[in-house]
Amino acid sequence: MKMGLRIGKFCTALFSLILIEGCTDNFVLENRDVNAITSISASELPYVFNKAVSAAATNATYYETTQNYFADIYAQYFAKAVTTERYNVNTAYTARMYLVSYVQVGAQLKTILSTADPKSGEYALANIMWVFTIHRLTDVLGPIPYFDVINGTDNTSYRYDKMSDIYADFFSRLTESVETLKKLNNTTALFAGKENIYAGNVSRWVKFSNSLKLRLALRISKVDQANAKKMAEEAVGSGVLDDNADNASVARAAIGNDYNGLAYIAGWYAG
């Protein structure tokens, strides 16, 4: 009987020790991924930017479900008896648009915006690509969670913002980016010349940003003519893409899944 009591007390004490050992106020710290990247250096930013660029030029099924099934069908560039039609959007695909815009592209750009010098050309390029990516999202879906996302608000829910406010932020980012780039020497190699669109060429990025600004001005011309005129004149006066040598393009890799989305899915419908 005494032996049984001793064993019982020993087991109780051991169980208590296990519970004490298992409890911690540093649960997140204790369960962190020891292999995770904890900081980004300047030398790594070109690769972060190129990841965003590659994702922005959507590939394979993302191209199909975020471009073909929305803008292309609506504009009748693309027509097919699929589960979404010109005036009957399949909302199941809208999640993929958010995934590309905010996860595959936006997360990379936010890393640069939180790391790079706000007066640097790299910071400017991140803002330009942010506008390039997110303007397509809001043009298709209308009001979207925007300011809470870009400002990094740590919420479990996000406010939907008006397109007029979002576009105002777009114009501000593009204007400031061009001002930053024009202060740089034209021989400056942005991202050490390793970015995959213009190889860091400052003057071509200025034209790209202004051309994007002109596009956005046209988008608001029916609802805010005065501001559309102002933004368009600023863009053209500052210099837009006016030569094929300035065309923006991304060379795709021959391996992995970094292929041209349109070229890839064209084979699916060839028959």
Side-chain angles (χ1 to χ4, degrees), residues 134-153:
I134 308 302
H135 92 277
R136 298 179 67 249
L137 181 67
T138 189
D139 281 353
V140 171
L141 301 181
I144 58 173
Y146 182 79
F147 292 103
D148 284 348
V149 175
I150 188 63
N151 293 328
T153 307

Side-chain angles (χ1 to χ4, degrees), residues 70-150:
F70 285 94
D72 287 354
I73 285 182
Y74 182 79
Q76 294 294 278
Y77 294 151
F78 180 81
K80 186 177 182 291
V82 293
T83 54
T84 185
E85 297 296 344
R86 190 176 190 185
Y87 300 114
N88 183 28
V89 173
N90 184 337
T91 56
Y93 295 128
T94 59
R96 294 176 72 83
M97 296 196 72
Y98 278 109
L99 176 63
V100 171
S101 300
Y102 281 153
V103 179
Q104 297 183 355
V105 180
Q108 323 304 323
L109 298 178
K110 285 184 65 177
T111 295
I112 297 172
L113 293 173
S114 64
T115 304
D117 181 351
K119 296 181 180 179
S120 68
E122 287 74 16
Y123 190 91
L125 263 58
N127 267 321
I128 294 168
M129 283 305 300
W130 174 269
V131 175
F132 174 80
T133 301
I134 308 302
H135 92 277
R136 298 179 67 249
L137 181 67
T138 189
D139 281 353
V140 171
L141 301 181
I144 58 173
Y146 182 79
F147 292 103
D148 284 348
V149 175
I150 188 63

Side-chain angles (χ1 to χ4, degrees), residues 6-173:
R6 288 173 183 170
I7 293 175
K9 289 179 180 179
F10 173 77
C11 290
T12 301
L14 180 61
F15 184 65
S16 298
L17 286 173
I18 292 173
L19 286 178
I20 292 171
E21 181 67 22
C23 297
T24 175
D25 292 331
N26 299 314
F27 181 81
V28 174
L29 181 63
E30 294 294 334
N31 288 275
R32 73 190 187 284
D33 182 355
V34 296
N35 296 313
I37 297 175
T38 57
S39 62
I40 299 291
S41 67
S43 63
E44 293 165 316
L45 292 184
Y47 307 103
V48 175
F49 184 75
N50 285 332
K51 166 58 181 174
V53 167
S54 176
T58 50
N59 58 35
T61 57
Y62 285 115
Y63 188 96
E64 179 186 42
T65 54
T66 65
Q67 176 66 31
N68 285 158
Y69 289 0
F70 285 94
D72 287 354
I73 285 182
Y74 182 79
Q76 294 294 278
Y77 294 151
F78 180 81
K80 186 177 182 291
V82 293
T83 54
T84 185
E85 297 296 344
R86 190 176 190 185
Y87 300 114
N88 183 28
V89 173
N90 184 337
T91 56
Y93 295 128
T94 59
R96 294 176 72 83
M97 296 196 72
Y98 278 109
L99 176 63
V100 171
S101 300
Y102 281 153
V103 179
Q104 297 183 355
V105 180
Q108 323 304 323
L109 298 178
K110 285 184 65 177
T111 295
I112 297 172
L113 293 173
S114 64
T115 304
D117 181 351
K119 296 181 180 179
S120 68
E122 287 74 16
Y123 190 91
L125 263 58
N127 267 321
I128 294 168
M129 283 305 300
W130 174 269
V131 175
F132 174 80
T133 301
I134 308 302
H135 92 277
R136 298 179 67 249
L137 181 67
T138 189
D139 281 353
V140 171
L141 301 181
I144 58 173
Y146 182 79
F147 292 103
D148 284 348
V149 175
I150 188 63
N151 293 328
T153 307
D154 189 17
N155 292 337
T156 55
S157 62
Y158 293 88
R159 182 185 73 246
Y160 279 70
D161 297 298
K162 296 186 298 183
M163 287 186 71
S164 57
D165 294 338
I166 296 170
Y167 258 68
D169 188 69
F170 287 164
F171 286 126
S172 176
R173 290 176 184 274

Side-chain angles (χ1 to χ4, degrees), residues 167 171 212-222 224 227-229 231-232:
Y167 258 68
F171 286 126
L212 179 55
K213 186 176 182 178
L214 179 60
R215 170 190 281 185
L216 299 185
L218 292 173
R219 298 279 169 92
I220 66 169
S221 60
K222 299 295 185 182
D224 190 350
N227 195 39
K229 182 175 183 294
M231 293 298 106

